[in-house]
Amino acid sequence: MPSPTLEDVQTEAEHLARTSRNADEFMKALVTLIHERLLKYNWVGFYMLEPNAQPPMLALGAFQGAMTPHTRIPLNQGICGAAASSGKTVVVDDVANDPRYLACSLETKSEIVAPVFVRGKVAGELDIDSHFPAAFSLQDQAFVEHCAALVGKKLESHSA
Ligand code: SME
């Protein structure tokens, strides 16, 4: 079977968003879909802001890939903290050259983190690591941001 395109996987992600019963179910299904279908997406997971934590803290949610030592990340640490605190997608082509990087797997070479917004505020983020350097092009960034937006919409539609 030929490798699926990002458009193929995006269509599948949109289908999952419509058919999942809630945001948790959708996030679990989405990390599995992305990890299985896109071979250079070697670790795929969500970090979500803990409600009412002081200082603010990201907690590991649904993920696929190797277990990570970073199950909770403060907003002033890591690529993850940078994306959540700035509200902007962060793409790192070579993690070895980024002093912010918190190592999850020795095999990881590049990373992308896209914030998940709920009613305009950062609620968490979609984090993806690759074993390949500079794995994430502008097309990948658009795809990852679209997936993060689907999760934001799902969270909005299931919370008062
Ligand atoms: N690399 C991330 C930590 C999470 S692991 O990659 C799963 C960071 O620098 O924030």
Side-chain angles (χ1 to χ4, degrees):
M1 194 170 90
S3 294
T5 64
L6 290 171
E7 287 75 20
D8 294 337
V9 183
Q10 187 163 305
T11 303
E12 292 178 63
E14 284 163 0
H15 177 73
L16 286 178
R18 285 192 300 273
T19 54
S20 301
R21 278 170 300 184
N22 54 50
D24 273 352
E25 188 178 294
F26 176 46
M27 287 190 274
K28 280 185 196 145
L30 186 59
V31 295
T32 302
L33 170 77
I34 295 173
H35 185 255
E36 276 178 4
R37 305 276 275 148
L38 299 171
L39 299 182
K40 65 181 182 180
Y41 286 46
N42 300 111
W43 192 96
V44 182
F46 287 96
Y47 283 93
M48 303 307 288
L49 275 179
E50 286 183 352
N52 308 319
Q54 269 320 320
M57 193 68 73
L58 292 159
L60 181 62
F63 75 96
Q64 283 286 318
M67 187 57 202
T68 170
H70 304 293
T71 54
R72 292 175 86 230
I73 302 175
L75 292 206
N76 61 353
Q77 287 183 26
I79 313 292
C80 286
S85 56
S86 67
K88 294 202 162 65
T89 299
V90 180
V91 179
V92 178
D93 286 342
D94 175 7
V95 293
N97 272 324
D98 193 316
R100 299 170 298 182
Y101 175 65
L102 299 170
C104 165
S105 154
L106 289 176
E107 289 174 296
T108 297
K109 300 287 188 294
S110 57
E111 178 162 6
I112 181 169
V113 186
V116 170
F117 295 97
V118 173
R119 294 183 194 89
K121 287 194 178 156
V122 175
E125 58 195 24
L126 176 53
D127 176 18
I128 298 168
D129 293 350
S130 179
H131 297 171
F132 299 87
F136 304 109
S137 66
L138 285 175
Q139 285 73 29
D140 290 279
Q141 179 172 342
F143 165 76
V144 174
E145 289 175 349
H146 187 78
C147 289
L150 290 174
V151 171
K153 276 191 218 132
K154 195 79 182 170
L155 285 163
E156 284 173 2
S157 69
H158 288 264
S159 63

